[in-house]
Amino acid sequence: MDIKELKYNDQGLIPAIITDARTGKVLMLAYMNSESLEITIKEERTCFFSRSRNELWRKGETSGNVQQVVSIATDCDKDTLLISVIPAGPACHTGNETCFFNTILENAAPFTIQGLMDLIIGRKTDKKEGSYTTYLFEKGRDKILKKVGEEATEVIIGGKADDKAETIYELADLMYHALVLMADMDISVDDVMKELASRHVIDKKVKQEKMA
C-alpha cells in the first residue's frame, strides 16, 4: 500500500508497535510522523518522533541499541503501525529487553521455546529428583548427544514413511533434546536466532546483488 494512505492524529503522529522479529515479543510503543517513517523505510532502522522533546530520534543513536527493520505493516484502519525488527540491544531505557515488564494480570503463560529453555536450565542449576531433564544432565554430554542422534534418526524414519503425525512427535523430541544440549553448552535460544537472522540478512543482500 501507499504510505500516503496512512491516517495520522491531530498532531501528525501515528503510533508504532515494535516487535522482535525473532520471537514475536512486543518491545515498545512509540510514535512516528511522516518524516520519521520515511527515514525508517530509507535507512531500514527505526526512527521515531519524540513528543516530549518535539524532535526526531533514531533508536540507538546514543545507546547503540539500534533496531534493524524487517517489515512494516498497518492495521485495518491504517492508523497504527506494526514494525518487526531485529534489535541490537534492549528496547527499554531501563535496560530491560522490552518496555512491557510491569505485570498487571497474568494467567497461565502460553507455551514458548524460551519458556521451555528456562525450565530446562532450571533443571540444570536446581536438580529435581525424578526429572528426566535432570537425569540427562547428570549422565553428561555423551548421553545428551546420543539422545539427539537417536531422535534425529526417528525424525528421518517418520519423514521417510510420510507419517506426518509421527514426524511432528519426533521433531518435538528432537527439539527438546537439542535444547538440553544447548543448555549444557551454555548456548541460548537468542544465540541460535541471531545466527539464523544473520543468514537471512546475508541471503537478502545476495539477492539484491544478483538483481543489481
Side-chain angles (χ1 to χ4, degrees):
M1 61 162 283
D2 192 329
I3 60 172
K4 293 181 180 179
E5 299 177 34
L6 293 173
K7 299 174 183 177
Y8 297 85
N9 63 19
D10 294 341
Q11 289 75 46
L13 303 175
I14 187 170
I17 301 169
I18 312 301
T19 65
D20 190 319
R22 302 164 301 183
T23 65
K25 181 181 292 186
V26 176
L27 300 178
M28 58 184 289
L29 170 66
Y31 287 83
M32 292 183 170
N33 60 11
S34 58
E35 184 180 359
S36 65
L37 175 57
E38 289 173 0
I39 291 173
T40 296
I41 293 172
K42 180 180 179 180
E43 298 182 357
E44 296 187 353
R45 290 185 176 182
T46 53
C47 176
F48 305 111
F49 184 84
S50 172
R51 294 175 297 168
S52 60
R53 299 193 304 270
N54 196 36
E55 63 182 14
L56 297 175
W57 64 283
R58 288 171 169 80
K59 177 63 177 173
E61 194 168 27
T62 56
S63 67
N65 300 330
V66 299
Q67 298 171 338
Q68 180 184 343
V69 175
V70 174
S71 65
I72 301 176
T74 183
D75 68 333
C76 55
D77 294 322
K78 301 177 183 178
D79 60 3
T80 303
L81 297 174
L82 179 63
I83 303 180
S84 178
V85 305
I86 297 176
C92 186
H93 71 282
T94 63
N96 281 281
E97 176 188 9
T98 170
C99 292
F100 297 93
F101 57 88
N102 293 307
T103 303
I104 295 176
L105 174 66
E106 184 174 14
N107 293 315
F111 173 82
T112 64
I113 292 295
Q114 185 59 57
L116 176 57
M117 186 60 157
D118 292 341
L119 178 62
I120 290 171
I121 293 173
R123 292 292 185 265
K124 177 184 178 183
T125 57
D126 185 17
K127 294 180 173 57
K128 182 178 180 180
E129 186 177 353
S131 165
Y132 174 66
T133 306
T134 295
Y135 161 78
L136 288 175
F137 286 126
E138 289 178 339
K139 286 297 182 180
R141 180 77 55 80
D142 286 347
K143 179 64 174 180
I144 297 170
L145 290 171
K146 181 180 178 182
K147 291 302 298 182
V148 171
E150 290 175 355
E151 298 305 336
T153 300
E154 293 297 329
V155 170
I156 293 171
I157 293 172
K160 187 66 176 177
D162 198 27
D163 188 330
K164 185 175 180 180
E166 182 67 15
T167 303
I168 292 172
Y169 183 87
E170 297 301 342
L171 279 169
D173 277 350
L174 176 58
M175 291 179 69
Y176 158 75
H177 286 93
L179 288 172
V180 174
L181 175 60
M182 288 166 58
D184 191 56
M185 297 181 66
D186 294 323
I187 298 172
S188 69
V189 173
D190 195 46
D191 289 334
V192 177
M193 297 303 289
K194 285 179 179 177
E195 174 61 24
L196 290 171
S198 69
R199 296 181 186 184
H200 170 75
V201 172
I202 291 172
D203 183 57
K204 179 181 177 181
K205 288 182 178 178
V206 169
K207 289 181 179 179
Q208 290 176 337
E209 289 173 357
K210 288 183 178 179
M211 293 174 64

